Amino acid sequence: MKPTLFLLAAGMGSRYGGLKQLDTLGPHGETIMDYSIHDAIDAGFGKLVFVIRKDFEEDFRRIVLTKYESKIPCELVFQALDALPEGFTCPEGREKPWGTNHAVMMGASAIKEPFAVLNCDDFYDRDSFRVMGQFLSNLPEGSTGKYAMVGFRVGNTLSESGTVSRGVCATNEAGFLTSVVERTKIQRIDGEVKYEDENGQWVSIPDTTPVSMNFWGFTPDYFAHSVEYFKNFLSDEKNITNLKSEFFIPLMVDHLINSGQATCQVLDTTSKWFGVTYPEDRPAVVEKFQALHDAGAYPEKMF
């Protein structure tokens, strides 16, 4: 069975100030999603599932899905604040979504095969789709708990315009993930890559430190694990009362690997990530896409 590509498209670009997923950045009006989906189809993915906000469904179907439906099967699922496990209710006053792993949980009804998860507003480059597609396609039928992550070097994932969020990873000698911690403020300071820790201190890390760019590979058992751990997350008073707390994918993966319920292979890739985190990033991204087309990496018309 071909793997599915699960695209996280429910969030607004709060720092960028709009729906980055629909911004035309390529020389022929391409969005970043166009490149991801083109590369995924080439890498052997067989279905697309998008998680979006329900109030955006009509526009999303008209603007986005009509481009892809003739090339590959597509489905929509919806992230909502009140989509919580039985026995839990959304706190009054909460407006912020519950985070990336909550968005992933919305795919349980549509995905029954190995799948990859990624952000719609990041450019991952074709080799990352190749290595992930290969990993998922080669899993024995019925596999559980065998996950993967495309690892990027942190020095190749920064914005010159401000801080970025990254899952900072540690691996063992066999190349399996041993821990991943979401760091919400990372930037280059005085020539060094640094992140702000829980105490507000800036900690230096090597440029080559592997980080998660939210390009993960899972088997469908991941959904059931997520529901159970989300219950624990919501049962913690500091999470349920904090109107901005988020249930991140790295938090879930870190729990599963440290509890021995899963392994996560870090996949090496020649790809270099880029994206539009801030408005100031846009001109450089437009130039990079133009250069890729000039080099013949992508056709004039992808969809």
Side-chain angles (χ1 to χ4, degrees):
M1 185 177 294
K2 290 185 175 183
T4 285
L5 184 66
F6 191 15
L7 299 105
L8 306 182
M12 292 286 287
S14 56
R15 283 175 293 192
Y16 183 43
L19 279 170
K20 289 185 284 185
Q21 296 91 340
L22 301 182
D23 196 2
T24 54
L25 299 166
H28 313 293
E30 297 90 350
T31 66
I32 289 183
M33 260 196 297
D34 289 338
Y35 294 98
S36 292
I37 291 168
H38 178 273
D39 290 342
I41 293 171
D42 279 357
F45 285 81
K47 183 173 73 175
L48 306 178
V49 177
F50 299 86
V51 57
I52 66 171
R53 300 188 322 274
K54 181 65 176 176
D55 63 355
F56 193 47
E57 179 180 6
E58 184 178 344
D59 286 341
F60 196 89
R61 288 187 183 278
R62 176 176 52 84
I63 299 169
V64 178
L65 286 197
T66 51
K67 284 197 292 185
Y68 309 132
E69 287 175 318
S70 64
K71 302 282 187 180
I72 186 171
C74 299
E75 292 188 45
L76 293 182
V77 296
F78 307 101
Q79 185 180 20
L81 289 177
D82 59 358
L84 301 176
E86 187 175 351
F88 294 91
T89 57
C90 187
E92 185 178 353
R94 182 169 182 113
E95 297 179 357
K96 188 176 183 63
W98 289 103
T100 51
N101 207 67
H102 179 255
V104 171
M105 290 167 60
M106 303 303 103
S109 62
I111 300 173
K112 309 300 179 185
E113 57 283 322
F115 64 101
V117 176
L118 51 69
N119 297 332
C120 278
D121 47 15
D122 292 325
F123 176 77
Y124 293 99
D125 205 2
R126 62 181 49 178
D127 186 65
S128 62
F129 288 92
R130 181 188 64 80
V131 297
M132 180 59 81
Q134 201 168 62
F135 172 86
L136 295 173
S137 297
N138 289 340
L139 287 173
E141 187 174 349
S143 292
T144 61
K146 297 184 184 297
Y147 307 152
M149 185 202 83
V150 178
F152 291 79
R153 294 183 175 187
V154 66
N156 291 334
T157 71
L158 303 178
S159 167
E160 296 180 1
S161 307
T163 61
V164 295
S165 295
R166 301 287 181 258
V168 178
C169 304
T171 60
N172 62 20
E173 292 181 355
F176 287 91
L177 194 65
T178 56
S179 71
V180 56
V181 179
E182 187 80 7
R183 299 297 181 184
T184 56
K185 289 185 178 179
I186 302 179
Q187 63 181 331
R188 194 177 297 279
I189 301 174
D190 298 327
E192 289 186 299
V193 179
K194 297 184 178 183
Y195 68 81
E196 187 180 45
D197 68 11
E198 296 83 354
N199 302 314
Q201 301 297 311
W202 287 92
V203 179
S204 298
I205 54 175
D207 273 51
T208 54
T209 302
V211 294
S212 160
M213 299 307 301
N214 257 0
F215 195 168
W216 300 91
F218 298 120
T219 44
D221 57 290
Y222 186 78
F223 294 120
H225 287 306
S226 294
V227 171
E228 290 308 307
Y229 197 53
F230 192 38
K231 292 176 183 177
N232 291 345
F233 178 89
L234 295 171
S235 297
D236 189 326
E237 190 70 18
K238 73 175 186 294
N239 290 327
I240 196 69
T241 58
N242 178 359
L243 299 182
K244 294 186 176 180
S245 62
E246 293 187 67
F247 186 41
F248 291 119
I249 295 172
L251 177 70
M252 184 69 229
V253 173
D254 198 50
H255 165 71
L256 291 175
I257 61 176
N258 284 294
S259 62
Q261 297 178 79
T263 59
C264 184
Q265 187 173 341
V266 178
L267 304 177
D268 184 40
T269 177
T270 58
S271 292
K272 291 185 178 180
W273 172 96
F274 61 82
V276 182
T277 304
Y278 298 92
E280 294 82 3
D281 296 329
R282 192 181 189 281
V285 169
V286 170
E287 287 183 13
K288 289 174 181 176
F289 280 133
Q290 182 67 63
L292 286 169
H293 281 268
D294 290 345
Y298 293 98
E300 181 173 333
K301 182 173 176 56
M302 290 191 289
F303 297 100

